[in-house]
Amino acid sequence: MSSKKLSGEVFYPSEETINKAHIKDWEALDKQAKKDYPGFWEKMAEELHWFHKWDKVIDDSNKPFYKWFTGAKTNIVYNCLDAHVKTFRRNKLALIWEGENGESKTYSYFALHRETCKFSNILKSLGVQKGDRVTIYMGRTPEIIIAMLACARIGAVHSVVYGGFSVESLAERIEDSNSKVLIVADGAYQRGKIVELKKIADEALQRCGTVEHVLVIKRTGQEVNMEQGRDMWYHELMNLPIATQNCALEIVDAEDPLFILYTSGTTGKPKAILHTHGGYMVGTHTTLKYVFDIHEEDRYWCAADPGWITGHSYIVYGPLLNGTTSFLYEGAPNYPYPNRWWAMIEKYGINILYTAPTAIRGLMRFGEAWVNRHNLSSLRILGSVGEPINPEAWKWYNRVIGKDKCPIMDTWWQTETGMFMIAPMPSVPLKPGSGTRPFPGIEMDVVDEKGKSVKPNEEGFLIIKTPWPAMIRNVWNDPERYKQYWSKYPGVYMTGDSARKDEDGYFWIIGRVDDVIKVSGYRLGTAEIESALVSHYSVAEAAAIGLPHEVKGNAIYTYVILKSGIEKSPQLIEELRQHVSHEVGPIAKPEHIEFVDSLPKTRSGKIMRRLLKAKALGQDPGNISTLED
Ligand code: WT7
């Protein structure tokens, strides 16, 4: 490390941490990567197996549609499973799973390879081919991972819809992706109750017409409707003779689609972010290895949901590419008691824990005694993601969970980036609340309206200045929306976040500058919540904003204009909250609904959410020259 004294409150890594770390000298690696970033990523790519090497590392002949490792042949699943099965890792645990009800299952790399192949064969027998989209909708059980890998193995494109989404969200994602197959669980356990996923899916399927086959995984066991000719049980199919444990792997181009994942944007419908096999594989493998300093003997737990990008990159692909042992937990953090997570860390000897500030703040509320019942000495590294972590939560995490000896890797990234972009490594000095600096090989900055770098500690737009391997390749069905990311300044990717950079070059994220709300780390668009409200018979117009919340980071506040003749009532408020929950999902349920007679709009008719927010917070509304009335 450079010996320069850093400003502010700094936590330096211990001797022990540095000695163990893969990267002991971050500055040297960064310097080398800055000289030649394609060369840096090329070297990283060489750590993985390719059926045929690339002609070019980056092809920028059709900007902003960058391509990586062009001409290369691969399949990410080969590096996740097949490559390990040929080594001593054949018998190593790939996955340890615990159900909310306490049951547990493990899969060796051999077993995960076998189950994946069997499922791939079933998908093939149903006519799923390379390039076809398959929607997956289930809770946190091993089958979600098997389903994703089974699709990728045969070159099909998975589209996972988070199990916390509901009818309309699922329907529009199935329809937009034009999925012919839906893989769904009968239900999911959440806090001892059953979320009836199959029932939600049945309702969604009435609103969209693309699905021919529904494969149902039995998890919760309640009675479900099985439509003849369309619905089949997974466990029955897996027992058929066609489900053999050998399934030829589809060798694909580095740039062939791996998955799409829907995320919320500024306006309109959620967009499907496209990631491809080659670059995504290199990006997730490298970043996980160095940021979480993965060693052979580690047991790693990313407590996110596989249905979000965090789960795709750092529960499924990154860990398997690194041949590590992952832990997956099905249920709620405080079920049946607030010590659930700490009990599992002790029971399974977890070394690395990666979670979100909202979860930390939620568990903080129960007090330290719940943690101190358990021996957490196996923990070596901690991680945070999804929203800025407030210094108070950072310090609690560091002291109470990490016992002042586990560096906290605060990782900034997005569905679109596919991989960590701003993140430390264990050997890097930390400042609570900052993700430190961009990963080597990544160039980022904070700029003003004109695209000029702002002075240290000044707020500006967070941008990415060079392409990176796991970058978004397109918005499925909507290249115009993809181009928007690159449209503000030439050759520069707009993240949608505001940030500042301090005098040491450390980045501090402030928040979104668009109409995206981060609720408990989940990304929601104001447009989705508003259109759900307007789909209710009583609502004429609606506006949604995010306001600060102690545990969730932000909570959803909505303003509703009722249709004429509709009576305002507390019952109607509750009905509207339930309606949003039913249409979008429980995560989108508004905290607060207020009936109003008008909404502030620009002369072109856009709702000025900024004004609603300023008013709710009692702040100065700033420039209101575009206000209509
Ligand atoms: C947005 C992306 C990819 C991880 C899960 C979220 C916010 C993410 C951090 C962090 C401050 C963060 C940003 C970003 N965000 N990580 N460490 N510190 N903010 O992915 O749902 O696509 O959301 O999450 O606002 O733009 P996502």
Side-chain angles (χ1 to χ4, degrees):
M1 285 308 306
S2 83
S3 50
K4 195 178 126 202
K5 174 123 175 38
L6 300 173
S7 68
E9 191 175 14
V10 185
F11 287 70
Y12 290 91
S14 69
E15 201 70 14
E16 198 186 338
T17 297
I18 298 176
N19 285 340
K20 175 139 188 157
H22 289 303
I23 305 297
K24 296 182 176 50
D25 188 347
W26 185 93
E27 307 285 349
L29 186 70
D30 187 55
K31 217 162 141 193
Q32 180 200 333
K34 273 209 171 74
K35 267 191 229 148
D36 170 19
Y37 77 88
F40 171 80
W41 289 114
E42 179 161 43
K43 221 172 109 202
M44 296 297 133
E46 274 158 8
E47 291 191 20
L48 294 156
H49 173 275
W50 302 81
F51 294 101
H52 180 80
K53 289 263 171 86
W54 46 91
D55 309 319
K56 234 179 152 182
V57 178
I58 307 176
D59 175 354
D60 60 359
S61 57
N62 183 26
K63 287 176 194 166
F65 296 92
Y66 296 92
K67 289 184 178 154
W68 282 78
F69 305 109
T70 50
K73 298 277 180 200
T74 186
N75 184 313
I76 196 168
V77 178
Y78 185 89
N79 281 298
C80 287
L81 300 175
D82 303 55
H84 302 312
V85 169
K86 293 188 169 65
T87 71
F88 70 95
R89 287 188 186 137
R90 177 177 196 264
N91 297 320
K92 181 176 174 176
L93 291 185
L95 184 64
I96 302 170
W97 172 79
E98 184 165 301
E100 196 183 66
N101 57 6
E103 70 182 286
S104 170
K105 268 193 213 169
T106 58
Y107 292 80
S108 63
Y109 273 90
F110 181 85
L112 195 58
H113 176 267
R114 177 189 63 224
E115 297 305 302
T116 299
C117 285
K118 290 180 72 172
F119 199 19
S120 286
N121 279 323
I122 289 166
L123 293 173
K124 269 184 164 169
S125 75
L126 293 172
V128 177
Q129 290 177 356
K130 185 180 170 201
D132 288 350
R133 274 81 58 213
V134 174
T135 297
I136 301 173
Y137 181 62
M138 60 175 97
R140 284 188 293 272
T141 59
E143 289 79 12
I144 189 166
I145 298 176
I146 294 166
M148 290 164 73
L149 295 168
C151 290
R153 186 175 189 86
I154 58 172
V157 181
H158 56 72
S159 168
V160 181
V161 178
Y162 171 57
F165 277 124
S166 200
V167 180
E168 183 56 26
S169 299
L170 178 60
E172 69 183 357
R173 285 160 173 77
I174 291 173
E175 181 117 310
D176 184 75
S177 63
N178 201 355
S179 293
K180 289 188 191 65
V181 174
L182 170 68
I183 304 168
V184 62
D186 55 351
Y189 288 114
Q190 184 67 16
R191 252 174 262 278
K193 294 204 189 86
I194 293 171
V195 182
E196 296 192 73
L197 296 176
K198 176 64 166 63
K199 205 168 152 194
I200 296 170
D202 285 335
E203 209 180 320
L205 290 174
Q206 283 169 9
R207 300 188 192 179
C208 59
T210 63
V211 170
E212 290 161 16
H213 304 290
V214 179
L215 310 184
V216 190
I217 289 146
K218 199 183 221 116
R219 169 62 188 138
T220 44
Q222 80 282 15
E223 189 88 37
V224 294
N225 157 57
M226 293 292 279
E227 198 173 299
Q228 250 217 321
R230 187 193 71 180
D231 302 356
M232 285 163 280
W233 287 106
Y234 170 84
H235 62 270
E236 287 176 4
L237 295 170
M238 287 291 263
N239 277 329
L240 293 176
I242 48 146
T244 60
Q245 68 188 69
N246 292 311
C247 172
L249 176 116
E250 182 83 26
I251 296 177
V252 300
D253 284 339
E255 281 293 315
D256 274 336
L258 169 61
F259 65 83
I260 52 176
L261 184 59
Y262 286 84
T263 193
S264 302
T266 301
T267 48
K269 285 186 165 191
K271 45 192 170 183
I273 308 303
L274 172 67
H275 286 286
T276 57
H277 276 256
Y280 179 80
M281 170 171 94
V282 175
T284 54
H285 173 258
T286 309
T287 48
L288 182 65
K289 178 172 173 183
Y290 296 123
V291 172
F292 282 110
D293 200 38
I294 302 291
H295 285 71
E296 200 61 68
E297 67 279 13
D298 280 330
R299 287 186 162 193
Y300 159 90
W301 180 18
C302 168
D305 192 283
W308 298 91
I309 192 68
T310 311
H312 281 54
S313 299
Y314 298 110
I315 294 176
V316 183
Y317 292 110
L320 294 173
L321 289 167
N322 277 285
T324 197
T325 299
S326 262
F327 176 63
L328 181 71
Y329 166 58
E330 180 181 37
N334 57 348
Y335 186 84
Y337 301 106
N339 66 329
R340 182 64 186 263
W341 272 24
W342 322 126
M344 293 188 300
I345 288 172
E346 181 175 23
K347 178 175 176 191
Y348 297 106
I350 303 295
N351 307 103
I352 302 164
L353 171 66
Y354 183 30
T355 184
T358 184
I360 299 162
R361 290 191 295 261
L363 290 162
M364 241 168 101
R365 281 186 315 174
F366 298 112
E368 292 174 33
W370 285 106
V371 185
N372 294 336
R373 302 163 81 100
H374 299 281
N375 177 354
L376 304 185
S377 62
S378 59
L379 287 175
R380 187 165 68 81
I381 296 174
L382 303 174
S384 174
V385 65
E387 53 174 326
I389 179 165
N390 48 310
E392 194 197 351
W394 196 100
K395 286 179 189 166
W396 189 86
Y397 197 25
N398 180 51
R399 179 177 58 83
V400 179
I401 309 305
K403 315 293 178 200
D404 295 309
K405 70 169 180 65
C406 304
I408 298 174
M409 304 296 105
D410 180 356
T411 61
W412 179 94
W413 58 297
Q414 307 179 303
T415 307
E416 292 87 342
T417 70
M419 62 185 231
F420 305 150
M421 299 300 280
I422 300 174
M425 293 182 197
S427 60
V428 168
L430 304 173
K431 301 187 189 188
S434 167
T436 75
R437 289 167 289 186
F439 192 84
I442 305 292
E443 214 190 318
M444 296 181 66
D445 201 1
V446 180
V447 299
D448 63 16
E449 196 54 52
K450 295 200 185 81
K452 235 183 87 215
S453 298
V454 299
K455 293 201 194 83
N457 292 314
E458 264 176 29
E459 183 174 345
F461 301 113
L462 182 68
I463 57 156
I464 308 173
K465 291 169 74 174
T466 45
W468 63 100
M471 64 192 287
I472 171 179
R473 293 303 196 278
N474 210 337
V475 174
W476 191 260
N477 281 337
D478 205 345
E480 286 310 312
R481 260 183 120 178
Y482 171 74
K483 287 188 197 158
Q484 282 169 15
Y485 288 100
W486 305 85
S487 62
K488 196 167 163 101
Y489 317 110
V492 163
Y493 172 93
M494 281 295 283
T495 64
D497 278 16
S498 64
R500 59 189 180 83
K501 207 164 93 172
D502 71 16
E503 48 278 17
D504 299 317
Y506 277 47
F507 286 72
W508 300 77
I509 306 300
I510 295 163
R512 299 290 305 188
V513 286
D514 54 10
D515 292 321
V516 168
I517 311 178
K518 282 276 175 155
V519 183
S520 301
Y522 297 125
R523 178 165 158 182
L524 292 164
T526 51
E528 290 153 87
I529 301 157
E530 289 161 5
S531 71
L533 282 167
V534 173
S535 74
H536 191 267
Y537 71 90
S538 70
V539 176
E541 267 189 273
I545 57 169
L547 291 181
H549 185 277
E550 214 178 299
V551 175
K552 299 177 186 175
N554 291 290
I556 300 167
Y557 278 62
T558 56
Y559 301 87
V560 168
I561 304 177
L562 292 175
K563 285 187 185 151
S564 62
I566 305 278
E567 283 289 320
K568 298 172 187 168
S569 71
Q571 289 84 338
L572 183 56
I573 289 180
E574 201 36 45
E575 194 179 316
L576 289 172
R577 293 180 73 227
Q578 288 307 334
H579 179 70
V580 176
S581 177
H582 182 261
E583 292 296 304
V584 185
I587 49 168
K589 200 192 233 181
E591 190 86 5
H592 180 84
I593 294 181
E594 189 175 326
F595 296 126
V596 293
D597 297 325
S598 69
L599 289 167
K601 285 189 190 157
T602 61
R603 278 179 214 109
S604 57
K606 273 198 212 145
I607 297 172
M608 294 181 80
R609 296 186 189 83
R610 182 172 61 82
L611 290 192
L612 288 169
K613 208 166 162 171
K615 182 162 181 274
L617 294 171
Q619 291 169 349
D620 172 18
N623 182 356
I624 53 166
S625 60
T626 54
L627 187 65
E628 181 198 28
D629 189 358

